[in-house]
């Protein structure tokens, strides 16, 4: 490790909020219906498609693996981009309607971290617009500004599990990986953070609980609240009943001895 904990770098989808099953998936299906396509991504099919990071990449995989019969007329990239744009409009509506809840402990921890002087950042596969919509509606209108760096979407050529988005965020923060802690929910996210050298806390979601979390500092069911203690699935959180700044500092310091 390179000194004390300075910054928390949050993933978004699955980590800050349960965005996938009732958010992105539903929005994809609305976009497909609006385009007159007979496609409907079930909860199970979406779980399979989630192995691919990125919404555009996910549509491409679906066409390739599930609908090889479909011939897109014209430019496939433009066709996918159009569907994805429509998906994000529907996603924004779902977030604004309150259908995409924050995960337990997220708002509390973000507020505590600010008070404690920890720097905050985001490293995500989804777009900047989706991130700001989520933060504004679920935390508060000023929340996007609390995050000093938001690395989002297509700003890097390769998405998670590649480490590129974490490299970009670390560069913008001017911090070394050992001065930060990443918070992720998926095997792809963990691999991205670990490849960038970051100690990583994982909170699993329904879609990711069977992913490979080898290398995580700790794996939890969620961040917890005083009245909702966490369950430790792998690693050690000491005797903290939920994740607060003191628990994160202790976890980070422990990584130095690992
Ligand atoms: C999650 C993803 C994203 C979202 C949808 O990545 O894979 O693709 O499902 O995002 P992360 P877009 O957890 O790293 O944020 O459709 O906007 O790409
Ligand atoms: Mg995620």
């Amino acid at each position: 490790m390179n000194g004390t904990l300075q910054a928390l770098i949050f993933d978004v989808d699955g980590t800050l909020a349960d965005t996938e099953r009732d958010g992105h998936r539903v929005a994809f299906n609305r976009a497909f219906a609006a385009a007159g396509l007979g496609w409907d991504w079930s909860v199970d099919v979406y779980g399979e498609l989630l192995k691919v990071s990125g919404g555009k990449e996910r549509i491409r995989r679906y066409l390739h693996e599930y609908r090889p019969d479909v011939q897109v007329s014209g430019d496939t990239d433009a066709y996918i981009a159009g569907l994805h744009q429509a998906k994000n409009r529907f996603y924004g509506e779902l977030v604004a309607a309150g259908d995409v809840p924050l995960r337990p402990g997220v708002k509390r921890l973000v507020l505590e971290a600010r008070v404690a002087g920890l720097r905050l950042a985001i490293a995500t596969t989804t777009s900047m617009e989706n991130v700001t919509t989520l933060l504004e509606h679920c935390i508060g209108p000023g929340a996007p500004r609390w995050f000093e760096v938001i690395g989002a979407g297509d700003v890097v050529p390769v998405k998670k599990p590649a480490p590129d988005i974490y490299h970009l965020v670390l560069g913008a923060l001017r911090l070394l990986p050992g001065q930060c802690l990443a918070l992720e929910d998926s095997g792809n996210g963990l691999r991205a953070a670990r490849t960038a050298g970051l100690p990583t806390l994982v909170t699993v979601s329904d879609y990711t609980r069977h992913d490979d979390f080898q290398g995580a500092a700790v794996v939890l069911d969620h961040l917890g609240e005083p009245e909702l203690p966490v369950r430790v699935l792998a690693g050690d959180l000491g005797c903290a009943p939920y994740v607060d700044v003191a628990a994160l500092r202790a976890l980070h310091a422990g990584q130095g001895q690992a």
Side-chain angles (χ1 to χ4, degrees), residues 115-127:
V115 170
L118 285 177
R119 297 166 69 189
L120 300 175
I122 279 174
T124 178
T125 294
T126 201
S127 67

Side-chain angles (χ1 to χ4, degrees), residues 11 13-15 184-186:
D11 168 51
D13 294 295
T15 299
E184 278 284 356
D185 73 301
S186 69

Side-chain angles (χ1 to χ4, degrees), residues 187-206:
N188 277 343
L190 173 66
R191 271 169 63 202
R194 294 297 297 142
T195 307
L198 287 147
T200 307
L201 176 154
V202 171
T203 49
V204 300
S205 65
D206 281 346

Side-chain angles (χ1 to χ4, degrees), residues 134-202:
L134 185 81
L135 294 175
E136 282 168 0
H137 281 92
C138 296
I139 300 187
R145 287 191 298 281
W146 301 352
F147 293 84
E148 198 178 318
V149 177
I150 300 181
D154 296 325
V155 291
V156 286
V158 197
K159 292 180 177 167
K160 298 175 188 177
D164 303 33
I165 196 72
Y166 277 105
H167 287 149
L168 183 125
V169 170
L170 286 169
L173 287 170
R174 293 176 177 272
L175 289 175
L176 296 166
Q179 297 174 297
C180 305
L181 187 78
L183 293 93
E184 278 284 356
D185 73 301
S186 69
N188 277 343
L190 173 66
R191 271 169 63 202
R194 294 297 297 142
T195 307
L198 287 147
T200 307
L201 176 154
V202 171

Side-chain angles (χ1 to χ4, degrees), residues 11-15 19-20 24 28 46 50 52-58 84 87-88 123-127 130 159-160 184-186 189:
D11 168 51
V12 173
D13 294 295
T15 299
T19 57
E20 298 292 6
H24 290 296
F28 274 114
Y46 194 67
L50 271 180
V52 183
S53 289
K56 292 193 285 287
E57 293 78 358
R58 201 163 292 145
H84 187 247
K87 183 278 282 185
N88 279 340
T124 178
T125 294
T126 201
S127 67
N130 286 350
K159 292 180 177 167
K160 298 175 188 177
E184 278 284 356
D185 73 301
S186 69

